[in-house]
Amino acid sequence: MEFNFEGNTVAVEKLGTGKPLLFLHGWGSSGAVMKPLAAALKVNREIHLIDLPGFGRSPSPVRPWHIDDYADLVAAYIRHLGQGPVDLLAHSFGGRITLKLCARPHSAELVNLILITGGAGMKPRRKPSFYVKKYTAKSLKAPLQLLPQPLRDAALTKLRASALWKALGSSDYQALQGVMREIFVKTVSEYLEGCLPHVRQSTLLLWGANDDATPLYQAERMRDAMPNAALVTIENAGHYAFLDQPHRFKAIAEAFFNA
């Protein structure tokens, strides 16, 4: 099925029947990656696998969205369902959206229980090499700001196409183009620690012990700052714990949502 939000077509796949449980996937992924977990949890639940705009079968937004825009989309979809508050299961980038949505006033009218796995949005601990790259990039761009607009735009385009600039950027950034590259920059530049005290829903943080994309210390930071959060780790699992340990993940998730 498709859902229209502010001119954006959003692809949604539904499985099962019962109380709605929405799945929000990670960056560079889609609802299809989470479908095996959805199939395992669909007993007595109506699962909604949303392809967020710019991913899977959903076209990119027509303008560079912020995380708040994705949260607005999810809120509009929940209201469209008209079945009262839903439960959320969010991975990585989906965790960012969940924190933004559920930190808003009156979010309890939309969302009941939350499960976040490998959730992003916390400020990471950086190695010195990160700051070397960051300030090298700034130093390369700074002189260009003195040029007239047309010359500046041409020089920036040439700089961004250079091997040096590509070496300074992340692989995720380099793989993107156009509006999705702008969305990526907006997303990774916003840290969400300020949202945590305002998320009052009962929340399970279900983390792969070997997650190297959103390490365990970030989950601990979430747990400590959120009023009603608990942290459970899954051994021998990484950022995609629901794929690495599907039976263990499913059992814990099922117990949480059915408690």
Side-chain angles (χ1 to χ4, degrees):
M1 61 171 284
E2 293 181 347
F3 174 68
N4 187 277
F5 175 73
E6 296 182 353
N8 297 276
T9 301
V10 182
V12 182
E13 183 174 357
K14 292 199 301 183
L15 299 98
T17 58
K19 182 180 178 182
L21 171 59
L22 274 59
F23 279 44
L24 303 179
H25 61 77
W27 186 273
S29 185
S30 70
V33 174
M34 306 185 80
K35 190 170 181 178
L37 175 62
L41 293 176
K42 70 179 183 179
V43 177
N44 300 322
R45 301 305 300 253
E46 183 178 82
I47 310 292
H48 297 249
L49 290 161
I50 300 173
D51 281 356
L52 297 164
F55 305 95
R57 296 165 296 141
S58 297
S60 300
V62 294
R63 60 175 175 82
W65 277 16
H66 292 268
I67 304 170
D68 273 308
D69 294 302
Y70 283 98
D72 289 344
L73 159 66
V74 175
Y77 184 74
I78 295 171
R79 293 189 180 100
H80 166 75
L81 293 178
Q83 300 183 49
V86 305
D87 296 336
L88 291 181
L89 195 158
H91 175 236
S92 197
F93 175 57
R96 293 182 189 265
I97 299 168
T98 298
L99 293 179
K100 274 285 190 171
L101 173 62
C102 294
R104 295 174 175 178
H106 312 298
S107 66
E109 298 171 6
L110 299 174
V111 179
N112 184 23
L113 299 176
I114 302 169
L115 190 157
I116 298 176
T117 181
M122 301 297 99
K123 187 173 185 178
R125 298 170 183 165
R126 299 293 195 184
K127 296 179 180 179
S129 59
F130 168 84
Y131 294 101
V132 171
K133 288 184 177 182
K134 177 179 178 179
Y135 292 110
T136 299
K138 284 190 173 185
S139 69
L140 291 171
K141 287 175 64 177
L144 305 184
Q145 304 306 313
L146 301 175
L147 298 173
Q149 184 74 46
L151 292 177
R152 181 167 71 245
D153 291 345
L156 282 171
T157 299
K158 186 175 181 179
L159 174 62
R160 287 167 178 158
S162 69
L164 174 59
W165 188 262
K166 290 179 179 179
L168 295 173
S170 73
S171 57
D172 284 336
Y173 175 83
Q174 298 299 341
L176 297 168
Q177 295 181 347
V179 71
M180 291 310 296
R181 179 176 280 189
E182 294 183 67
I183 292 172
F184 177 77
V185 172
K186 291 174 183 289
T187 296
V188 300
S189 300
E190 185 175 4
Y191 302 124
L192 304 179
E193 279 85 354
C195 293
L196 300 177
H198 305 288
V199 179
R200 306 233 168 236
Q201 286 88 348
S202 294
T203 303
L204 175 62
L205 305 169
L206 187 51
W207 236 256
N210 304 323
D211 190 334
D212 58 2
T214 52
L216 192 56
Y217 73 82
Q218 297 188 18
E220 292 168 345
R221 193 183 304 166
M222 290 185 187
R223 176 201 61 200
D224 294 343
M226 297 170 74
N228 298 301
L231 172 61
V232 175
T233 58
I234 298 181
E235 297 299 322
N236 301 312
H239 190 53
Y240 287 81
F242 54 90
L243 297 179
D244 296 335
Q245 296 289 341
H247 299 297
R248 178 72 173 149
F249 193 101
K250 180 249 185 183
I252 296 171
E254 205 167 42
F256 173 68
F257 285 123
N258 294 336

